[in-house]
Amino acid sequence: MSPSVAYGTDIDERTKAAEQSSTDVLTAPDIPWNLVIWNDPVNLMSYVSFVFQSYFGYSESKAHKLMMEVHKKGRSIVAHGSKEQVEQHAVAMHGFGLWATVEKAASGNETPGKGGRQRG
Amino acid sequence: MKHPERAAGSVAKAFKYGLKGISGYLEPAERDLLRGLLDDVISMLEQDVRENEDPLAALIGLDMDVKQPSDRALLRLLPNVMKDDDGGSLEFRQLTERSVRENKIGALKAAALGLDKDDLVLTPEDATRWSMALNDVRLVLAERLDIRDEADAEHIHSMQDWSQAEDVESYLALVYNFTTWLQESLVQAMMAARQAKS
């Protein structure tokens, strides 16, 4: 970009600056993040379900449903929140030996524990 | 994920939930085996104290020199937290990996210590630490056995006869199946304890 004192460019610059700052504002903690648990052939189904119950306080049926989603679909979003919150969960999940990652929630994201999207 | 049947030929009594809480029994040879496995995973997770390390950073759990583990088993114990963002994953490691390692080592050591007593009677906290420790042992064994998918897991699971233990791989497979059976019975006992409380 060439430095210019022309009026139009100045507006452009200002718009860009405004865009940048609004992006900054939208980064943490407003953008929701997901905690994803991935399937692996080692972790026991009972153990994964138990971790969902004991750590997240989910009911037996909800924990079972999320566990089955991991097992059948390969992954499941089991919690969401701010980046800091889901990272905290990820630390705990790694402590339990579950394969957990965090990701920015896509628009129209899946909601953990709500039905309707079982069959992919 | 796995859904194991009872391992044939194992002499260990499963963990169970009863009046004393969660209890179990292992033969002396099984204790020795398990102790060795727990110690192996502990030494994998323990890091040498680095020279010139910032003591304050160490104190609050930071590790700015941390790298993604090159060993697959260690990487499975300490996975990347973002799928497609190595930089973000590394940053997360710097902030958290030390404490994850320390928590795991704590659970593994607690389980190893518990093996010194004849009867295994576990508080709910003990049981949680035991289940985490057994899970980490299984994750490491599974990497050594190259279990990549459910078919591999089924193949390994089909090896239940200790008279088949003729090489390192079949021996490891039997050890893996033993720890799987042990963890499954422990988790069932933990579920029963949880249901009894609610």
Side-chain angles (χ1 to χ4, degrees):
Chain A
M1 262 177 293
S2 58
S4 169
V5 289
Y7 190 62
T9 313
D10 211 357
I11 296 260
D12 277 349
E13 293 291 342
R14 223 176 288 155
T15 314
K16 248 175 240 144
E19 270 169 14
Q20 252 159 27
S21 73
S22 78
T23 313
D24 285 344
V25 171
L26 275 179
T27 332
D30 299 339
I31 296 177
W33 283 67
N34 294 330
L35 178 75
V36 181
I37 302 292
W38 298 82
N39 191 32
D40 71 62
V42 179
N43 282 337
L44 297 168
M45 295 166 84
S46 57
Y47 179 67
V48 173
S49 186
F50 183 83
V51 170
F52 290 169
Q53 286 177 57
S54 64
Y55 175 79
F56 294 108
Y58 292 161
S59 69
E60 197 182 336
S61 65
K62 179 172 179 176
H64 182 77
K65 205 165 149 243
L66 289 171
M67 179 277 289
M68 286 309 289
E69 191 170 87
V70 175
H71 185 59
K72 290 196 168 140
K73 291 172 70 177
R75 53 167 269 164
S76 174
I77 294 168
V78 303
H80 51 202
S82 69
K83 186 165 187 264
E84 287 70 24
Q85 284 169 330
V86 293
E87 282 182 343
Q88 191 89 44
H89 293 328
V91 168
M93 291 301 107
H94 293 173
F96 282 107
L98 268 56
W99 182 15
T101 60
V102 301
E103 64 183 26
K104 257 182 224 160
S107 48
N109 59 317
E110 306 162 57
T111 310
K114 297 235 173 91
R117 299 188 81 254
Q118 281 291 64
R119 305 278 154 194
Chain B
M1 279 178 279
K2 276 219 44 69
H3 193 30
E5 301 133 44
R6 190 185 196 291
S10 171
V11 286
K13 279 179 203 156
F15 282 102
K16 58 182 192 298
Y17 176 69
L19 289 174
K20 284 191 293 183
I22 297 168
S23 60
Y25 176 78
L26 292 171
E27 295 290 329
E30 292 169 328
R31 287 159 190 266
D32 290 345
L33 171 68
L34 207 50
R35 200 178 282 114
L37 294 168
L38 294 165
D39 286 345
D40 283 350
V41 181
I42 290 168
S43 52
M44 277 176 66
L45 285 164
E46 273 174 344
Q47 289 172 308
D48 301 330
V49 177
R50 292 196 192 90
E51 281 177 40
N52 309 321
E53 189 174 52
D54 180 348
L56 182 61
L59 192 68
I60 58 174
L62 295 179
D63 186 355
M64 302 321 277
D65 300 323
V66 72
K67 289 192 189 76
Q68 178 180 317
S70 51
D71 177 55
R72 290 188 69 128
L74 196 55
L75 182 60
R76 181 57 190 83
L77 296 182
L78 306 164
N80 284 337
V81 81
M82 291 176 196
K83 261 276 155 161
D84 304 304
D85 183 351
D86 289 349
S89 290
L90 188 67
E91 195 181 322
F92 182 77
R93 273 183 200 284
Q94 292 170 341
L95 301 175
T96 63
E97 191 187 286
R98 186 189 294 267
S99 76
V100 175
R101 278 179 192 262
E102 281 168 3
N103 284 342
K104 284 181 179 292
I105 290 168
L108 290 154
K109 283 189 171 167
L113 214 64
L115 285 171
D116 291 343
K117 284 181 239 144
D118 270 351
D119 277 315
L120 298 168
V121 181
L122 307 181
T123 65
E125 293 75 28
D126 291 336
T128 299
R129 283 191 284 268
W130 261 84
S131 67
M132 293 164 107
L134 286 173
N135 205 69
D136 282 348
V137 165
R138 292 182 57 247
L139 288 172
V140 171
L141 287 171
E143 281 300 332
R144 303 289 182 245
L145 283 163
D146 232 14
I147 298 177
R148 296 273 167 265
D149 54 30
E150 314 276 344
D152 295 341
E154 279 310 305
H155 169 67
I156 295 297
H157 186 63
S158 67
M159 302 170 75
Q160 297 282 4
D161 182 356
W162 283 87
S163 66
Q164 291 174 338
E166 49 205 14
D167 53 26
V168 174
E169 209 225 337
S170 56
Y171 177 75
L172 274 185
L174 289 157
V175 169
Y176 175 78
N177 290 333
F178 165 68
T179 54
T180 300
W181 173 73
L182 204 58
Q183 192 195 12
E184 177 65 28
S185 85
L186 176 59
V187 174
Q188 294 302 334
M190 290 164 78
M191 297 261 205
R194 209 180 151 77
Q195 270 158 12
K197 242 175 45 178
S198 64

